[in-house]
Amino acid sequence: MTAAAALVIVPTYDEAENVGDILGLVLGAVPDAHVLVVDDASPDGTGDVVERIAATDDRVHLLRRSGKLGLGTAYVTGFRWGLERGYELLIEMDADGSHPADRLPALIDAVRSQPDVQLAIGSRWVPGGSVVDWPWYREALSRGGNAYARWMLRIDVRDITAGFRVYRAAVIAGMALDAVDSKGYCFQVDMTLRVHDLGGRIVEVPIRFRDRLHGVSKMSQAIVLEAMLRVTQWGLQRRFARRR
């Protein structure tokens, strides 16, 4: 068993401007946690920044990958790394500053305080949640996409695409991680469904989500399209299976 109960997994690609600040904020909010940065060979030297920090802080770990292999595979790699080392909680968090580190204690407590809770989601779209500095069309896209997924999949989660989450490691261990091949928003939907189908209770904790301050967003039309197509496919499959 590792000395720390919680592992915060932070995938990175060209986040040299942000990653040092994020590590400081995370460890300030949850000093007993460990952080694993999964870096996809960032050309801007993100991995080197993390390596320097890890050399002086044994709570920080770096896993370098050979290239830009995608968000979903980065988290799956991080999950496996954490399971092998016996962490109790596995946490997803972006490196760009959009996820408020000061909400980590509330998310962790939401899982630890109730034994049936397997996943706590930092949610923008529950009462008390909000977004900052978003244009109206981006908010409309996110709200609309989440509403469509909720209706299509028949699952009562308001922010199913959110990427700020705390999982109980036991529920991740019960998944066939080799079968997870989704990317971007779709990865978050996929993982939520897997927790739901394993009988895990899912709760949402309100957060104030802000847009990144430095760097370029990794979001693309292809990622949005993949999510819409996969949600439609999964929804139809689940409805047909129930009818059968």
Side-chain angles (χ1 to χ4, degrees), residues 14-33:
D14 279 357
E15 296 289 357
E17 291 181 290
N18 297 312
V19 71
D21 291 339
I22 294 306
L23 292 174
L25 290 169
V26 168
L27 295 172
V30 281
D32 295 334

Side-chain angles (χ1 to χ4, degrees), residues 193-213:
L193 282 177
R194 289 171 189 270
V195 174
H196 178 268
D197 290 349
L198 287 169
R201 185 176 164 210
I202 300 167
V203 298
E204 294 183 85
V205 176
I207 66 164
R208 189 169 184 257
F209 181 101
R210 67 180 310 118
D211 208 359
R212 65 164 55 239
L213 297 177

Side-chain angles (χ1 to χ4, degrees), residues 132-144:
V132 180
D133 298 330
W134 267 21
W136 68 267
Y137 57 84
R138 187 171 176 188
E139 181 171 342
L141 178 63
S142 180
R143 284 185 180 274

